Amino acid sequence: MNEQQSSKSPRALPMPWVEKIFEKLSMTYGREFLARWDGFKEEAMLEVKQDWGMELGGFFDQPDAISHALAHLPAKAPNVIEFRQLCRSAPKPQFKHLPRPAQDPQKVAEVMGVVKSKLTKLPALDPKDWARKLKARHEKGEKLAPHQITAYRQALGFEGRQSWQ
C-alpha cells in the first residue's frame, strides 16, 4: 500500500475519473499511450482501468494532485506507477488561516459567569472514594479479591507508599 493510501481498505478512484485521465493521456500521447493495450478486449481494458483506479485510489480526496499530474506530463507517456509519482509530486495544499472572531467582552463575561456558577454547584469529588467504599465493604465482612484489598490499601496509604500519594 502506498503512503498516500490510508491503512484502511484501499479506495479506488471513481471510474469516470480514470476515464478522464485516459482521455487526457490519449489526446496528449496518442498511439504511444494507446498502443500498450493493442489487442485488449473490452473486459481486459476495463481491468486495466480498474487497476489504474486502485493504484491512484490514495488520491481520491486529493483531486488537485491528479490535476497537477495531468498539467505536468513528461515527454514520454507514463505508466500507472509513473503517473502516481507525478501525483505525489504535487505541491501540498495551502490552507488559509481564518481571522479570529471578534468577541464582545460583555458577552464573554456573562458566559464565564454562568459557567463559574454551574461549576461551584458541583459536589466535591473524592478521587479515593472508590478505595474507601471497598474498605468499608471489606470491614463489613464482604469477601473481596486479593487484588481489590491490595489496591484499596495502597490507595489509602496503608501499605507500600506510592509515588503519587
Side-chain angles (χ1 to χ4, degrees):
M1 189 175 295
N2 69 51
E3 65 193 45
Q4 293 291 332
Q5 292 175 325
S6 69
S7 59
K8 298 177 186 169
S9 63
R11 184 175 197 173
L13 285 184
M15 193 52 68
W17 292 21
V18 177
E19 293 287 347
K20 287 288 187 190
I21 293 169
F22 267 66
E23 281 178 29
K24 173 65 174 168
L25 295 176
S26 298
M27 289 187 322
T28 303
Y29 300 108
R31 182 107 181 105
E32 179 188 351
F33 180 70
L34 296 172
R36 296 174 180 179
W37 300 287
D38 271 352
F40 275 43
K41 293 184 179 177
E42 192 174 326
E43 303 85 35
M45 203 55 211
L46 179 62
E47 287 181 25
V48 167
K49 290 179 180 180
Q50 287 172 340
D51 180 60
W52 274 65
M54 288 303 292
E55 289 292 330
L56 300 175
F59 299 99
F60 179 84
D61 59 349
Q62 301 172 50
D64 290 342
I66 296 171
S67 297
H68 173 83
L70 291 172
H72 296 87
L73 292 171
K76 180 180 159 255
N79 60 33
V80 68
I81 304 301
E82 294 164 339
F83 190 81
R84 184 177 63 199
Q85 201 56 39
L86 286 171
C87 292
R88 286 181 178 161
S89 70
K92 301 293 178 212
Q94 298 295 318
F95 297 103
K96 296 179 183 176
H97 293 279
L98 296 176
R100 186 176 184 168
Q103 299 171 348
D104 178 12
Q106 183 178 357
K107 184 71 174 171
V108 169
E110 180 182 318
V111 170
M112 289 301 293
V114 170
V115 170
K116 284 181 184 178
S117 71
K118 290 187 179 198
L119 287 176
T120 56
K121 293 177 186 174
L122 292 176
L125 298 176
D126 179 8
K128 294 185 182 181
D129 189 46
W130 65 271
R132 287 185 182 76
K133 286 179 181 176
L134 274 179
K135 181 178 181 273
R137 286 171 43 197
H138 189 231
E139 288 174 347
K140 287 181 183 175
E142 185 177 334
K143 184 154 176 63
L144 299 179
H147 69 276
Q148 289 177 301
I149 297 167
T150 302
Y152 87 68
R153 290 184 58 79
Q154 286 179 346
L156 296 175
F158 296 134
E159 64 182 57
R161 296 285 293 172
Q162 305 296 313
S163 61
W164 45 266
Q165 291 178 317

